């Protein structure tokens, strides 16, 4: 009987055990493992991500066509408008990350920005059905829409920029919020947390696949209102589902404005620039209750950027009133606050190396499409849109997520230490760069053969080459495979290595990398065309691709990515992982600096 009572107590104790990473429930109490988070909450967030992505790309994928066909903008003006809109999305991601980490927390930030997103989509749907799609049925390939008044145009832009604000503020937080549902101090949940990022990226791509096929088809046929209302419905269902899971979520409390904490460290260190630090960390200040972190896990002291340690060096002038033990945060900072700054400084070189990869990734939506449009794309009288070839990228993502989880990782574990988790994030990101080089080489080779079978004197070069568009499949598949290693690895890396108080900022770094990749790609194209069009030459990327050398541009990107890979390896070898003290006082250190 006593053993039965003891077993009952043990079971009850397991059910009431709280998480060890400092997360709390909806009421602000320590989160109970059995009642919060895990895959119940994680699955809700994954479905939510798929629905929201479907809604966003349901607008974004054909926005340039809407601007030219419905609002009657020119090609250049429409392309410029879309570029500004896309760039704004990524700028708003930094806004969302800042509000989440500083004041609102991730749950509240995701809910508010999703509501803004739904309102923007609803506004666009109403504006299109009532004011912009006139006469009814216009906006297809043949029927021209009537002109619009200034207030109708203003209503349109307010709607799409509400969409940009909502999606941009939501996106960097939802990935981090999903990861919050798994306690990394628990071995089993820590493994699930790693798996979550792969499934998160898969959900994103599946939502994109649906919008790039079904919604894209309806909108291309002029059924804009149907497409926009479908996006609105998808976003609304996603928001409702997100709110349904409220009681199950785990939360981390926001830690206040990080900009103040960063500035305090640099100011305090600068004021003590003449101080010589003694050996050891006994002279470095640390508060008994570390207020720089929201989870209670202290960042352990490291030896890089020694100059910043001066901000935590205790002098006789630092305490205003020895009895009250108070100090000026602009002259003395806790060492954990200093380590926050060090963490971000260590991340920046790795982040900069991901920008060139994003340049490669952006070619899939631009030059890959232009290349495909100049190839044979008909099968039995059915014409395959060049943009639809990106479906092979999404299929490749799904395949390699499965292969990575079920084949590659088990094989790696056979040859590594027992406590290893397989390939580290940095190793996977390096593999992603290697595969990105292969994608550019493949695209360059395909372009060489496309030119070989092309009609050089075509008036317009759509389908001017007899080479089948399906020869593009390998380059799309390579890009998809590289995404699994690079972008999924990136999400995991920045989430794991960012301080607990700046997790959403870590996810926002991934989005800004893509944004800067677009700008760098545009810059490279401009420089290449300026140089290659000298002496009245047509240039590498002219309007008539059959008179240019797009292959050389792809090979140039392969070379730049190879150089970037070498630089990346140097920084990855130099990188030292964040060291955290767990709730139980143990040192939590991951060996992410291993690259070879």
């Amino acid at each position: 009987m006593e053993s039965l009572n003891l077993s009952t107590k043990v079971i009850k104790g397991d059910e009431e055990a709280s998480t060890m990473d400092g997360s709390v429930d909806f009421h602000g109490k320590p989160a109970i493992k059995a009642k919060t988070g895990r895959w119940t909450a994680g699955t809700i967030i994954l479905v939510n991500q798929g629905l929201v992505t479907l809604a966003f790309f349901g607008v974004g994928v054909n926005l340039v066509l809407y601007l030219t066909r419905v609002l009657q903008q020119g090609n250049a003006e429409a392309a410029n408008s879309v570029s500004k809109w896309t760039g704004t999305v990524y700028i708003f991601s930094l806004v969302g990350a800042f509000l989440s980490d500083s004041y609102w927390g991730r749950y509240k930030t995701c809910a508010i920005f999703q509501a803004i997103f739904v309102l923007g989509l609803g506004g666009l749907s109403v504006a299109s059905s009532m004011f912009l799609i006139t006469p009814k049925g216009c906006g297809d390939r043949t029927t021209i829409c009537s002109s619009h008044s200034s207030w109708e145009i203003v209503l349109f832009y307010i709607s799409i920029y509400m969409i940009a604000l909502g999606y941009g503020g939501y996106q960097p937080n939802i990935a981090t919020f999903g990861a919050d549902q798994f306690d990394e101090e628990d071995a089993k949940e820590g493994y699930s947390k790693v798996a979550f990022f792969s499934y998160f990226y898969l959900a994103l791509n599946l939502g994109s696949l649906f919008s790039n096929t079904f919604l894209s088809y309806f909108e291309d046929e002029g059924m804009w209102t149907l497409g926009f209302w479908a996006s609105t419905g998808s976003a609304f269902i996603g928001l409702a589902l997100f709110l349904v899971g409220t009681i199950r979520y785990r939360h981390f409390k926001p830690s206040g404005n990080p900009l103040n904490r960063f500035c305090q460290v640099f100011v305090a260190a600068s004021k003590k620039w003449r101080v010589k630090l003694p050996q050891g960390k006994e002279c470095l200040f640390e508060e008994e209750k570390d207020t720089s972190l929201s989870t209670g896990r202290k960042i352990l002291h490291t030896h890089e950027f020694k100059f910043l340690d001066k901000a935590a060096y205790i002098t006789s002038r630092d305490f205003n009133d020895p009895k009250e033990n108070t100090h000026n945060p602009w002259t003395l900072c806790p060492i954990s606050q200093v380590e926050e700054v060090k963490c971000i400084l260590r991340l920046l070189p790795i982040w900069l190396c991901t920008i060139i990869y994003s340049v490669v990734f952006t070619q899939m939506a631009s030059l890959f499409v232009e290349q495909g449009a100049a190839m044979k794309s008909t099968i039995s009288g059915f014409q395959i849109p060049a943009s639809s070839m990106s479906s092979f990228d999404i299929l490749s993502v799904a395949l390699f997520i499965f292969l990575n989880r079920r084949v590659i990782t088990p094989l790696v574990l056979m040859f590594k230490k027992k406590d290893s988790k397989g390939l580290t994030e940095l190793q996977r990101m390096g593999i992603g760069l290697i595969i990105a080089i292969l994608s550019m080489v493949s695209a360059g080779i395909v372009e060489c053969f496309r030119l070989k079978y092309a009609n050089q004197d075509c008036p317009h070069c759509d389908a001017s080459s007899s080479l089948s568009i399906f020869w593009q499949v390998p380059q799309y598949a390579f890009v998809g495979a590289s995404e699994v290693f690079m972008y999924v690895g990136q999400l995991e890396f920045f989430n794991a290595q960012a301080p607990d108080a700046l997790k959403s900022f870590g996810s926002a770094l991934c989005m800004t990398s893509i944004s800067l990749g677009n700008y760098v790609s545009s810059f490279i194209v401009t420089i290449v065309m300026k140089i290659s069009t000298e002496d009245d030459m047509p240039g590498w990327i002219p309007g008539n691709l059959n008179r240019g050398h797009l292959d050389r541009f792809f090979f140039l990107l392969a070379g730049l990515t190879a150089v970037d890979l070498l630089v990346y390896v140097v920084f990855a070898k130099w990188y030292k992982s964040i060291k955290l003290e767990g709730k139980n006082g143990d040192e939590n250190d991951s060996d992410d600096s291993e690259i070879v």
Side-chain angles (χ1 to χ4, degrees):
M1 190 68 180
E2 290 181 3
S3 61
L4 180 61
N5 291 334
L6 181 61
S7 299
T8 304
K9 290 180 180 179
V10 170
I11 294 173
K12 186 176 181 181
D14 290 339
E15 290 178 350
E16 297 298 322
S18 61
T19 56
M20 296 181 288
D21 60 357
S23 57
V24 297
D25 61 16
F26 182 72
H27 302 289
K29 299 179 181 179
I32 304 301
K33 281 189 176 183
K35 298 180 180 179
T36 60
R38 298 183 177 179
W39 280 113
T40 301
T43 302
I44 293 173
I45 292 172
L46 290 175
V47 176
N48 167 264
Q49 167 66 12
L51 292 169
V52 171
T53 303
L54 186 157
F56 176 75
F57 285 103
V59 173
V61 71
N62 274 330
L63 183 58
V64 68
L65 291 180
Y66 188 87
L67 292 172
T68 54
R69 294 181 183 179
V70 178
L71 300 188
Q72 300 174 18
Q73 292 185 4
N75 288 331
E77 182 184 2
N80 193 33
S81 297
V82 172
S83 296
K84 291 178 181 177
W85 181 76
T86 304
T88 304
V89 171
Y90 296 113
I91 291 173
F92 284 143
S93 71
L94 294 174
V95 175
F98 175 79
L99 291 172
S100 171
D101 288 333
S102 304
Y103 305 111
W104 291 351
R106 285 184 268 281
Y107 169 79
K108 186 176 180 180
T109 305
C110 287
I112 290 174
F113 280 105
Q114 278 189 83
I116 295 172
F117 183 60
V118 172
L119 290 174
L121 286 166
L124 178 62
S125 301
V126 171
S128 296
S129 59
M130 296 184 65
F131 309 114
L132 300 176
I133 308 294
T134 54
K136 297 294 182 183
C138 73
D140 57 8
R141 294 187 180 90
T142 56
T143 309
I144 299 175
C145 292
S146 59
S147 59
H148 305 95
S149 64
S150 299
W151 74 268
E152 290 173 339
I153 300 297
V154 169
L155 180 60
F156 166 78
Y157 276 108
I158 289 175
S159 298
I160 65 168
Y161 275 93
M162 283 183 67
I163 294 170
L165 173 61
Y167 186 78
Y170 153 89
Q171 191 59 31
N173 292 294
I174 194 65
T176 310
F177 188 58
D180 289 346
Q181 308 311 309
F182 303 96
D183 182 3
E184 64 183 28
E185 299 285 337
D186 179 277
K188 185 176 180 180
E189 289 195 28
Y191 182 81
S192 297
K193 183 175 184 175
V194 173
F196 172 82
F197 286 107
S198 296
Y199 297 134
F200 179 86
Y201 200 74
L202 178 62
L204 188 152
N205 276 271
L206 290 176
S208 175
L209 176 64
F210 188 89
S211 58
N212 283 337
T213 51
F214 294 101
L215 294 187
S216 178
Y217 172 79
F218 290 130
E219 292 168 359
D220 190 49
E221 293 296 318
M223 291 179 277
W224 295 100
T225 302
L226 175 62
F228 291 160
W229 277 118
S231 293
T232 304
S234 177
F236 180 80
I237 294 171
L239 174 58
L241 180 65
F242 180 80
L243 296 176
V244 165
T246 296
I247 303 300
R248 289 287 311 189
Y249 297 138
R250 296 173 184 174
H251 308 263
F252 287 94
K253 296 177 181 178
S255 58
N257 190 341
L259 296 179
N260 280 344
R261 299 200 304 273
F262 275 51
C263 292
Q264 287 169 355
V265 170
F266 285 109
V267 170
S270 299
K271 287 181 177 180
K272 299 176 182 177
W273 67 276
R274 292 183 178 180
V275 172
K276 290 186 178 180
L277 290 175
Q279 294 294 327
K281 61 179 182 179
E282 292 78 12
C283 59
L284 300 179
F285 175 62
E286 184 61 282
E287 293 179 326
E288 291 185 6
K289 184 177 181 181
D290 182 10
T291 57
S292 67
L293 295 174
S294 61
T295 65
R297 297 190 303 171
K298 292 182 179 180
I299 307 177
L300 301 180
H301 180 245
T302 58
H303 299 288
E304 292 83 14
F305 307 107
K306 291 288 290 183
F307 172 78
L308 295 178
D309 285 347
K310 295 182 179 182
Y313 180 73
I314 303 172
T315 66
S316 58
R317 301 178 181 179
D318 286 324
F319 288 94
N320 301 326
D321 188 343
K323 294 181 180 179
E324 295 183 6
N325 199 32
T326 60
H327 67 280
N328 184 349
W330 294 93
T331 58
L332 182 65
C333 304
I335 190 61
S336 290
Q337 184 177 337
V338 175
E339 289 299 326
E340 272 191 331
V341 179
K342 288 185 181 182
C343 284
I344 299 302
L345 292 179
R346 283 195 294 265
L347 288 175
L348 291 180
I350 301 294
W351 172 72
L352 288 172
C353 289
T354 65
I355 294 174
I356 289 296
Y357 172 81
S358 294
V359 173
V360 171
F361 177 75
T362 58
Q363 305 314 310
M364 190 170 57
S366 55
L367 292 181
F368 279 18
V369 176
E370 292 187 24
Q371 182 189 47
M375 301 173 73
K376 181 183 177 182
S377 58
T378 55
I379 298 179
S380 302
F382 178 77
Q383 185 167 357
I384 302 170
S387 60
S388 68
M389 292 297 290
S390 61
S391 301
F392 289 100
D393 163 77
I394 298 172
L395 293 174
S396 177
V397 167
L399 174 63
F400 274 89
I401 283 177
F402 172 80
L403 291 176
N404 183 49
R405 299 289 306 164
R406 302 298 181 186
V407 180
I408 298 174
T409 297
L411 283 176
V412 171
L413 290 175
M414 292 174 60
F415 299 97
K416 297 193 76 173
K417 296 179 292 185
K418 290 184 179 179
D419 57 347
S420 172
K421 296 180 181 179
L423 294 172
T424 66
E425 292 95 341
L426 288 176
Q427 288 173 332
R428 279 182 280 151
M429 290 162 68
I431 292 172
L433 284 171
I434 294 172
I435 300 176
I437 295 172
L438 296 178
S439 71
M440 289 296 97
V441 171
S442 174
I445 292 173
V446 168
E447 180 63 13
C448 290
F449 281 94
R450 190 197 68 79
L451 288 171
K452 182 178 179 181
Y453 297 102
N455 176 12
Q456 301 291 335
D457 299 321
C458 59
H460 60 84
C461 289
D462 286 354
S464 60
S465 176
S466 60
L467 191 69
S468 172
I469 194 173
F470 285 102
W471 283 102
Q472 283 192 309
V473 171
Q475 64 202 58
Y476 278 102
F478 278 132
V479 171
S482 69
E483 288 177 61
V484 172
F485 289 99
M486 172 55 82
Y487 280 144
V488 176
Q490 225 179 313
L491 279 171
E492 291 181 32
F493 177 74
F494 287 124
N495 182 271
Q497 298 301 312
D500 285 332
L502 294 169
K503 294 292 188 184
S504 296
F505 174 77
S507 296
L509 285 177
C510 300
M511 295 190 70
T512 52
S513 170
I514 299 173
S515 177
L516 289 174
N518 279 277
Y519 293 126
V520 173
S521 176
S522 178
F523 174 76
I524 293 174
V525 169
T526 301
I527 295 298
V528 164
M529 288 303 295
K530 184 176 179 62
I531 296 174
S532 63
T533 53
E534 292 182 352
D535 301 325
D536 297 326
M537 296 295 290
W540 287 5
I541 318 174
N544 184 344
L545 290 181
N546 294 339
R547 297 176 183 175
H549 281 285
L550 185 58
D551 53 331
R552 295 178 184 175
F553 182 78
F554 287 139
F555 291 140
L556 171 64
L557 290 185
L560 290 175
T561 310
V563 173
D564 181 56
L565 174 63
L566 296 177
V567 176
Y568 171 80
V569 170
V570 172
F571 283 128
K573 294 290 281 184
W574 165 82
Y575 184 80
K576 295 294 186 296
S577 297
I578 187 173
K579 296 180 179 180
L580 296 172
E581 185 179 75
K583 294 268 291 185
N584 55 5
D586 297 332
E587 182 177 319
N588 182 356
D589 180 21
S590 57
D591 186 21
D592 288 316
S593 60
E594 181 185 357
I595 187 69
V596 292

